[in-house]
Amino acid sequence: MKKYWKYLIAAAAIAVSAPTFTACSDNDEVDPYSINYVYMRQPNDTYANVEYKFNGDFLSGLEDPLALVPVRLTKPAPCDMTVEIAIDPTLVEEYNEANDGNYVFLEGAEVLNPTLTIKKGEYLSDVITLGFTDHTGFFDKTEDLILPVVVKSANGGAVISKSSRIFLTFNSTYHANVLTLTSDLSIFNDIDEAGWETANTNYTFTDFLRAEWAVDDAVKVTLAIDNSLIAAYNTTNGTNYQALAGTTLGATQLEIPVGQISANLSMKLGNYTGVANDIEYLIPVKINFVSGDGALLPEAFQVAYIEVTAAPKVVTCMVNLPDGLTQFESTNWSATTGSSSGNQDFTNVLDAPVDYFWFYPGYTTTVDLGEVQNISAFAMYWYAWYYALVNLENIETSVDGNSWTSWGNMELPDDMTYASTHYIVFSKPAKMRYLRFVNGDDAYGWDAALKYMSFWK
């Protein structure tokens, strides 16, 4: 649901009646052809998407207190004038009849400054301010709500017109404090690092359970590992995860205390060394909501699937080279690109920038560094962004030219569309002598023109 505030004001300044005037002095006379009307203009702001929490606090779209508009005169005030402002529920029926509506009066609102002053010689009062000290009028309302605000009286010879009232209409919206799980539910193990076999035995997911805002009532959930869910998960996702025997949770209940926004999850992993043999483990954790007024745990977050695998080898394309790297240079390297019909040598592009060297989509590119190195990144400098490759496919490295390690594909990020230099960074330093990949798509349909290629460690 949404709350839409509409300010509707009668167009004509027609007197409600012919009231008896109280003049600023007994000698003042009222010119019937120059009546000083008191009125209000339509507010400029529209308050949309107004939502409230379970305790009635507003979340968005509506300030409390709410500043509306000033009261106005058509002519300067002949003296200091007093204007009374009120909320008038009797006008709801009139509004419904005139607009073929079915609005219901909003309970619980009040005018915080019901008496306003317009100084002598001036046209405007201070702005009318509404308060919503009692928010229960918004709760569980599906019908349209309305709040008529009127000028009740004015002295100093002013005439109250029908433009001295405004109607605020809206409908109410309840917004639960939705609970979600961290998006990072993977435990990666770098099998090339010493001590990896036990480095992640005791693991903590920071902000595992998170609310949209600091909770107003303590949120409690229960947790349990349920390995019976793995088979269905594998069937649905085409995976081959196994249960990680011996894994235990640090606690079977999590709590987000009042005023806090998240809770951590700790666990102790069983023997996960099988990841070195390409075994992938899955820990399904069922989450049941226990308590917490105003909080909601959607069905999508009632099971957390935590994967335990070897650290993936990936590459990332960046616009800037990471700090701390030094350029690798060699006099014994070589490079080719081509297809089954033949290869072209472009070693000169490694040695120094050239005007351009054509790179064609679908060709396989291979670089031999001449010796084994730990390379952190390589860079490709293109003639222009519209002469670049926007992706590289099947990036592989090798120390001997026979056994190859896959690093996946490189996709140019959206924010690098107009970049003419691409830094392709390995997720960890890659031990290699050889690098190869398949040239991907060109940026503009004009093939690709490479000026220079460099390696960094």
Side-chain angles (χ1 to χ4, degrees), residues 89-405:
T90 67
L91 295 178
V92 174
E93 182 177 354
E94 176 187 331
Y95 182 89
N96 283 333
E97 291 178 356
N99 295 277
D100 194 23
N102 191 30
Y103 288 87
V104 176
F105 177 70
L106 171 65
E107 303 284 352
E110 62 177 328
V111 181
L112 299 181
N113 52 347
T115 301
L116 297 173
T117 299
I118 302 177
K119 297 289 187 181
K120 180 179 179 180
E122 297 183 1
Y123 292 85
L124 302 177
S125 71
D126 291 334
V127 297
I128 301 168
T129 304
L130 297 183
F132 301 91
T133 54
D134 180 1
H135 294 180
T136 57
F138 292 95
F139 292 1
D140 301 322
K141 301 295 185 184
T142 56
E143 67 269 31
D144 292 326
L145 301 172
I146 191 166
L147 193 65
V149 180
V150 303
V151 175
K152 185 177 179 180
S153 67
N155 67 358
V159 174
I160 300 174
S161 73
K162 282 192 175 181
S163 288
S164 63
R165 56 187 185 174
I166 56 178
F167 296 88
L168 288 67
T169 64
F170 48 90
N171 50 60
S172 62
T173 299
Y174 168 71
H175 190 137
N177 194 354
V178 178
L179 305 174
T180 57
L181 305 178
T182 177
S183 59
D184 183 9
L185 288 171
S186 299
I187 302 176
F188 295 132
N189 301 277
D190 189 345
I191 61 177
D192 295 325
E193 294 291 332
W196 71 270
E197 299 88 347
T198 57
N200 288 323
T201 297
N202 295 297
Y203 198 90
T204 298
F205 287 97
T206 303
D207 297 336
F208 172 79
L209 181 69
R210 187 175 182 87
E212 283 190 70
W213 59 83
V215 300
D216 302 293
D217 187 49
V219 171
K220 296 180 181 179
V221 300
T222 58
L223 308 169
I225 295 175
D226 187 352
N227 289 326
S228 69
L229 299 174
I230 295 177
Y233 185 93
N234 284 334
T235 300
T236 301
N237 296 279
T239 52
N240 193 32
Y241 287 109
Q242 299 181 21
L244 183 52
T247 299
T248 58
L249 300 175
T252 58
Q253 180 173 285
L254 290 185
E255 177 179 345
I256 303 179
V258 173
Q260 300 299 310
I261 200 168
S262 64
N264 301 336
L265 171 66
S266 61
M267 56 175 42
K268 185 174 182 179
L269 301 184
N271 183 354
Y272 56 84
T273 55
V275 301
N277 299 316
D278 296 327
I279 297 175
E280 297 180 317
Y281 300 102
L282 193 68
I283 307 169
V285 180
K286 291 189 70 172
I287 305 165
N288 292 311
F289 182 82
V290 175
S291 62
D293 286 341
L296 172 66
L297 180 65
E299 183 177 355
F301 300 110
Q302 292 176 13
V303 179
Y305 291 98
I306 300 170
E307 64 171 345
V308 182
T309 67
K313 292 179 171 61
V314 296
V315 293
T316 304
C317 190
M318 299 182 179
V319 69
N320 294 311
L321 186 72
D323 294 335
L325 300 185
T326 57
Q327 187 170 354
F328 168 72
E329 297 184 50
S330 173
T331 58
N332 191 35
W333 53 18
S334 62
T336 62
T337 184
S339 63
S340 58
S341 60
N343 290 316
Q344 289 182 286
D345 185 281
F346 69 99
T347 305
N348 60 322
V349 175
L350 302 178
D351 294 330
V354 299
D355 288 339
Y356 58 85
F357 180 88
W358 288 112
F359 256 47
Y360 298 104
Y363 279 23
T364 296
T365 296
T366 304
V367 177
D368 178 359
L369 299 179
E371 58 185 301
V372 176
Q373 292 287 328
N374 286 321
I375 298 297
S376 295
F378 64 96
M380 306 187 79
Y381 308 82
W382 304 100
Y383 183 82
W385 70 265
Y386 42 86
Y387 278 110
L389 293 177
V390 297
N391 59 305
L392 305 179
E393 300 174 356
N394 195 24
I395 299 172
E396 296 178 301
T397 58
S398 175
V399 296
D400 58 11
N402 296 313
S403 178
W404 294 85
T405 299

